[in-house]
Amino acid sequence: MAVNINEQVNFAISILSKEEDITEEIIDEFTAVKLNFFNEMMNKEVASLDELKRINNLIKSRVAHRIFRTDSVIVNHDFESWFKKRKGQLKMDYWNAYKTYLEKDKYFSRNVVNNIDNVVDDITDLLGDPTVDKTFQRRGLVIGDVQSGKTANFIGLMCKACDVGYKLIVVLAGTSNVLRSQTQSRVDEGLIGMDSDKILLSRELSRIGVSLYSEEVSRPVSVTSLSSDFNKRYANTLGLQLNQTNVPIVFVVKKNVSVLENLNAWIRSLNQINEKGLIDSSLLLIDDEADYASINTNKEDKDPTKTNEKITELLAMFTKTSYVGFTATPYANIFIDPKTTEDMRTDRLFPKDYIYCLDAPTNYIGARNLFGEEKSDCIKTIEDEPETEEDIDINSIHYILPLKHKKE
């Protein structure tokens, strides 16, 4: 009888997560020597060699061994650290619950969680301080490899933003319902602590994720759910005003013109504006895959693309805003071309204040591992065009794809 592979993997990770630092050698030793010893002690089926190899590989794919703090940070010269100076005086309830959740539910080792803590400290410090009595517009970009843990980092950022006093958090989660729903699920578990669908459909408060480790803490309010993007009718039933609620308000929405238009109109209609026409409160806007659908791709003499227009309109509504783009492909963002300093400071998403590069975990397999660092590792030079047909080499482009060829 075959062993239950997933059960074995989960059991192994629950044991290994108690290690300060999980190396490949520790995983190899556990699966080769200790796993079947535990199986025998608990009268469970013993894994075969092939099953142990599969279990070993699955553990390595799920356990981030180490994440190193990056040295790759570009910061505007007028940046002043604020969060790191005050962190010791704050309760950090949302972050502490998320930290426990990562260790107990996601089986992150203590070393990895501590490293995420340090990285998110760096990024939180680059946001604006929501408690200051002045206006600010912070814009930045966080760069990380594809599928290397950006979501875990930005949910950590949301938790710390709640701890320092941000009142409204909006996450732009892709352009499809599937991507938005996936992100909502992660936010439900990592920050809201409630099943958002049960709240929306049956008004049932079903605790999940972080709330299992912080029952005494008031959870943020989510105006979106797993099955529903921003809905004006549902939002109106909540009647939320930023100056009348003690907990943060969270939205996870698609990058969709009509959704953003409705969101902007609802926020504007419900909150009082000051003499300058601004809502006197703080907004953190997290833009996942910030290179896609957010950037203005129209020509200079055209209006900005609608999605970009609605994002910048939302940012312009508040006295204190921090925009953080997360992406693996930053070129569209970096090559935004503000014509003037005022352009850069106001209506653009150019990362004028900072660019922060996330280092991937040590067990991350990406393009560098497959293709190498040098161009010569993956690019083959094609010989010049031959003088005669007889000179054509079978490895030349003229043999592989002749100039005159049928479409098939």
Side-chain angles (χ1 to χ4, degrees):
M1 182 179 173
V3 299
N4 185 321
I5 297 292
N6 285 332
E7 185 182 275
Q8 295 274 302
V9 170
N10 289 335
F11 171 73
I13 292 175
S14 69
I15 300 294
L16 290 167
S17 62
K18 295 177 175 61
E19 296 279 350
E20 188 67 29
D21 187 19
I22 306 173
T23 64
E24 292 201 16
E25 290 74 22
I26 288 174
I27 295 171
D28 290 339
E29 181 188 359
F30 185 87
T31 52
V33 179
K34 298 178 182 178
L35 184 57
N36 274 337
F37 171 73
F38 283 118
N39 285 332
E40 288 174 347
M41 281 184 60
M42 295 183 289
N43 294 319
K44 289 190 174 183
E45 195 72 27
V46 174
S48 68
L49 288 175
D50 284 345
E51 287 169 334
L52 287 172
K53 185 175 180 181
R54 189 176 167 202
I55 291 165
N56 183 284
N57 289 336
L58 285 169
I59 294 169
K60 288 176 180 177
S61 72
R62 282 179 49 184
V63 176
H65 305 161
R66 280 161 290 182
I67 301 175
F68 297 106
R69 205 168 190 172
T70 185
D71 293 324
S72 305
V73 188
I74 302 170
V75 183
N76 197 331
H77 67 277
D78 61 358
F79 165 69
E80 289 184 19
S81 175
W82 62 274
F83 171 68
K84 293 179 182 179
K85 294 176 182 176
R86 281 178 41 206
K87 185 183 178 185
Q89 303 160 18
L90 299 169
K91 288 185 176 180
M92 303 303 294
D93 289 329
Y94 294 111
W95 165 255
N96 288 331
Y98 183 58
K99 183 178 179 179
T100 305
Y101 161 77
L102 289 178
E103 291 176 352
K104 293 194 174 181
D105 282 25
K106 296 299 180 184
Y107 305 116
F108 280 35
S109 72
R110 193 174 297 110
N111 183 56
V112 170
V113 174
N114 288 341
N115 276 288
I116 291 175
D117 191 6
N118 290 332
V119 167
V120 178
D121 273 1
D122 290 344
I123 302 171
T124 305
D125 207 37
L126 292 166
L127 305 179
D129 180 355
T131 64
V132 296
D133 190 22
K134 64 179 182 180
T135 299
F136 62 78
Q137 298 275 329
R138 298 281 296 172
R139 308 264 165 83
L141 187 67
V142 178
I143 303 168
D145 287 302
V146 176
Q147 296 297 317
S148 64
K150 293 191 299 297
T151 307
N153 280 285
F154 82 60
I155 293 176
L157 179 63
M158 294 170 74
C159 291
K160 293 191 180 185
C162 290
D163 283 319
V164 300
Y166 271 88
K167 297 301 294 286
L168 186 70
I169 299 178
V170 176
V171 181
L172 303 177
T175 56
S176 72
N177 288 323
V178 172
L179 287 174
R180 194 210 67 81
S181 184
Q182 286 174 351
T183 303
Q184 179 78 55
S185 176
R186 299 280 296 275
V187 172
D188 281 0
E189 291 184 359
L191 175 62
I192 306 300
M194 299 285 175
D195 185 319
S196 56
D197 257 0
K198 288 185 177 179
I199 296 174
L200 173 65
L201 300 172
S202 60
R203 298 294 191 270
E204 178 187 343
L205 298 180
S206 177
R207 289 183 175 275
I208 60 172
V210 288
S211 67
L212 301 177
Y213 308 108
S214 58
E215 292 186 16
E216 72 286 352
V217 178
S218 298
R219 307 312 307 173
V221 175
S222 178
V223 190
T224 53
S225 75
L226 273 172
S227 59
S228 177
D229 205 329
F230 176 72
N231 181 295
K232 207 169 184 178
R233 187 182 304 168
Y234 171 64
N236 284 335
T237 66
L238 299 173
L240 297 168
Q241 293 187 34
L242 293 172
N243 62 351
Q244 294 179 1
T245 179
N246 295 322
V247 295
I249 303 170
V250 179
F251 299 82
V252 180
V253 299
K254 290 194 303 292
K255 295 184 199 180
N256 175 284
V257 174
S258 61
V259 169
L260 291 170
E261 204 164 52
N262 289 334
L263 176 65
N264 291 358
W266 182 79
I267 290 172
R268 190 184 294 107
S269 68
L270 209 65
N271 293 284
Q272 294 180 342
I273 58 175
N274 62 19
E275 66 280 359
K276 294 181 180 179
L278 300 174
I279 299 169
D280 194 11
S281 191
S282 53
L283 164 70
L284 169 62
L285 196 154
I286 293 175
D287 189 355
D288 195 15
E289 306 303 341
D291 60 305
Y292 182 62
S294 301
I295 306 303
N296 177 20
T297 53
N298 276 344
K299 294 181 180 178
E300 287 180 41
D301 58 343
K302 301 278 186 180
D303 289 333
T305 50
K306 283 290 184 181
T307 307
N308 174 269
E309 179 186 316
K310 296 304 168 187
I311 295 171
T312 53
E313 182 182 288
L314 175 59
L315 290 166
M317 286 162 53
F318 289 81
T319 55
K320 306 165 193 173
T321 64
S322 290
Y323 168 89
V324 188
F326 280 77
T327 183
T329 49
Y331 308 105
N333 309 74
I334 292 169
F335 291 124
I336 294 172
D337 184 19
K339 297 302 178 187
T340 65
T341 302
E342 188 61 23
D343 258 358
M344 184 175 71
R345 286 177 178 164
T346 55
D347 63 346
R348 304 295 183 118
L349 301 184
F350 180 75
K352 65 184 179 65
D353 296 301
Y354 60 91
I355 296 173
Y356 189 99
C357 297
L358 292 171
D359 277 348
T362 53
N363 64 338
Y364 176 73
I365 303 298
R368 292 184 195 90
N369 306 84
L370 299 175
F371 301 111
E373 294 282 358
E374 300 295 329
K375 284 196 296 185
S376 58
D377 293 336
C378 56
I379 296 177
K380 184 174 182 178
T381 303
I382 302 297
E383 297 299 326
D384 292 337
E385 187 171 353
E387 294 182 8
T388 66
E389 288 190 15
E390 288 76 20
D391 295 331
I392 294 177
D393 184 84
I394 60 169
N395 293 315
S396 75
I397 190 64
H398 307 282
Y399 182 85
I400 299 165
L401 188 67
L403 289 174
K404 292 182 179 179
H405 58 272
K406 293 181 180 179
K407 64 181 181 181
E408 292 82 8

